Amino acid sequence: MIVVMKPQASEPSIHAVTKYIEENGLQIHLSRGEEVTIIGIVGDKSRLSTENLRVFKDVDRIIPVTESYKLANRKFHPAPTTVKVGNTSIGPGNLTIMAGPCAVETQEQLLCIAREVKAAGATILRGGAYKPRTSPYSFQGLEEEGLKYMQEAKAATGLSTICEVVSLEAIEAAGKYVDMIQIGARNMQNFILLKEAGQSGLPVLLKRGLCSTIDEWLNAAEYIIAEGNPNVVLCERGIRTYETATRNTLDLSAVPVLRERTHLPIIVDPSHSTGSYKYVGPMARAAVASDADGLMIEVHNDPAHALSDGPQSLNFAKFTALTEELKPFCHLMGRSFHEQ
Ligand code: PEP
Ligand code: MN
């Protein structure tokens, strides 16, 4: 439940309410807006008398929060969250573009891609060093060596960096070399990994599970935040449906649904959702029009020879043309296009 304080409630009255809640063994989550302060309550509410809460000075309303996710819930935290990632941030007002290869292949490849995506307007370099592949015989990633190349690419370009993690070992290694970790679709409900990502304190990009509902996805985000890490960004990457013309079905309606339900920033991945470079541009434009906070796009210097996801990767010319096309869309949506 949340307790909405009256506008201009005094500090002592807010303190009296939070003290009462904590004395009853529950946790509080304070959200201070310009007008009102909201006190979110997490824990076993049967221990608390709402009748008693109502008599506190400056308490305006008590609203039940029926959803099982609380800290990710917009009711708990009405203002949109901005997540800082290295020297950039994801949130309202900007369109953040994360771009790079599906997998880090070589030092030269990554550096060359980093320079090109930066020149085209990306602010975060993506690159997989731990690849959760469908087939055990496919390229599995360079692991820590790949993370080192990410760090070198950051040093050379100033781009912030993101890499997927698949285990605690990978989280610990990623924490040394990159700015943000990614939990991929296949691990969205790996609750142990979610808790470990929460404990790492690193910014986390949480991709939607292959067959997950929005409710399950927000509960997965809750696992991370409940460990004391509020730096979570959601990424819609398509879900599995009966349609086979595209790799997945991009659920763009997830963007306005999430906006209503959560304060967390939202990114759209038009690459994994469509599986074809031909559809990346139209879906990227649609994602900006849906008011997403950013995009994650796979870019490769030579898609025909990529070690993974070549068919959906944009070459440099296509990526540059796309970012140029996105600028007026950003403008229409009142967002600025980061340029370093
Ligand atoms: C990726 O971004 O590299 C990836 C594997 O994506 P997903 O988890 O969405 O399939
Ligand atoms: Mn990929």
Side-chain angles (χ1 to χ4, degrees):
M1 83 182 72
I2 58 170
V3 178
V4 183
M5 300 300 287
K6 288 184 182 148
Q8 280 87 45
S10 71
E11 272 311 309
S13 352
I14 296 171
H15 181 69
V17 178
T18 57
K19 188 163 167 277
Y20 173 75
I21 297 166
E22 284 174 336
E23 277 170 3
N24 280 279
L26 293 140
Q27 290 156 21
I28 59 134
H29 177 88
L30 262 190
S31 175
R32 293 175 190 274
E34 271 176 27
E35 288 284 303
V36 291
T37 293
I38 289 172
I39 305 168
I41 307 176
V42 189
D44 176 7
K45 261 112 41 221
S46 63
R47 304 170 74 156
L48 202 68
S49 155
T50 27
E51 287 317 306
N52 287 358
L53 265 179
R54 273 184 228 286
V55 299
F56 277 85
K57 185 168 171 285
D58 290 342
V59 166
D60 186 9
R61 276 167 300 144
I62 297 173
I63 304 173
V65 176
T66 46
E67 297 85 6
S68 49
Y69 51 92
K70 312 289 178 193
L71 304 172
N73 203 310
R74 188 141 206 165
K75 289 178 192 155
F76 260 56
H77 189 298
T81 287
T82 296
V83 172
K84 201 171 167 322
V85 182
N87 54 16
T88 186
S89 57
I90 310 174
N94 293 317
L95 182 83
T96 299
I97 301 192
M98 304 177 169
C102 179
V104 178
E105 296 173 10
T106 66
Q107 189 183 31
E108 302 70 48
Q109 170 240 21
L110 189 66
L111 202 55
C112 158
I113 296 176
R115 293 203 166 106
E116 293 284 341
V117 298
K118 180 182 174 174
T123 49
I124 302 183
L125 176 68
R126 65 146 285 145
Y130 301 87
K131 296 304 303 173
R133 306 301 299 282
T134 301
S135 162
Y137 308 116
S138 302
F139 177 58
Q140 304 284 310
L142 299 179
E143 304 190 344
E144 192 157 346
E145 191 190 344
L147 291 174
K148 288 184 186 157
Y149 298 160
M150 290 291 281
Q151 189 186 43
E152 286 167 13
K154 177 189 165 92
T157 59
L159 287 168
S160 300
T161 48
I162 179 169
C163 185
E164 179 169 358
V165 292
V166 293
S167 62
L168 176 58
E169 192 194 358
I171 294 177
E172 285 168 352
K176 290 192 261 169
Y177 303 108
V178 295
D179 299 305
M180 185 178 213
I181 54 174
Q182 173 174 323
I183 299 214
R186 288 152 196 82
N187 275 312
M188 191 208 84
Q189 283 192 316
N190 180 340
F191 299 116
I192 305 220
L193 191 67
L194 295 173
K195 285 187 189 179
E196 287 164 347
Q199 286 156 14
S200 76
L202 296 163
V204 182
L205 183 78
L206 179 63
K207 288 194 140 193
R208 182 176 183 175
L210 306 170
C211 304
S212 298
T213 64
I214 290 174
D215 190 74
E216 288 163 342
W217 190 11
L218 288 172
N219 273 292
E222 187 82 4
Y223 264 89
I224 301 170
I225 308 174
E227 294 297 322
N229 183 355
N231 307 309
V232 180
V233 176
L234 301 167
C235 178
E236 164 61 42
R237 48 77 72 207
I239 47 175
R240 201 162 268 190
T241 67
Y242 52 79
E243 182 54 72
T244 54
T246 47
R247 182 174 176 184
N248 291 287
T249 299
L250 178 59
D251 178 13
L252 259 193
S253 58
V255 179
V257 173
L258 288 170
R259 261 307 162 235
E260 186 174 74
R261 298 189 185 180
T262 182
H263 52 91
L264 300 173
I266 309 158
I267 296 282
V268 172
D269 174 347
S271 305
H272 291 89
S273 51
T274 62
S276 167
Y277 75 90
K278 288 187 254 171
Y279 311 134
V280 169
M283 290 300 96
R285 295 195 295 267
V288 178
S290 75
D291 207 21
D293 297 297
L295 297 164
M296 172 175 264
I297 300 176
E298 285 189 341
V299 177
H300 198 278
N301 50 313
D302 181 7
H305 293 99
L307 294 184
S308 64
D309 287 349
Q312 70 197 28
S313 300
L314 300 188
N315 62 23
F316 298 149
K318 288 194 174 71
F319 180 65
T320 306
L322 173 59
T323 56
E324 279 308 309
E325 260 175 44
L326 291 176
K327 287 179 186 168
F329 284 81
C330 281
H331 186 69
L332 274 174
M333 297 306 295
R335 287 183 179 270
S336 64
F337 188 93
H338 271 304
E339 264 168 307
Q340 288 191 337

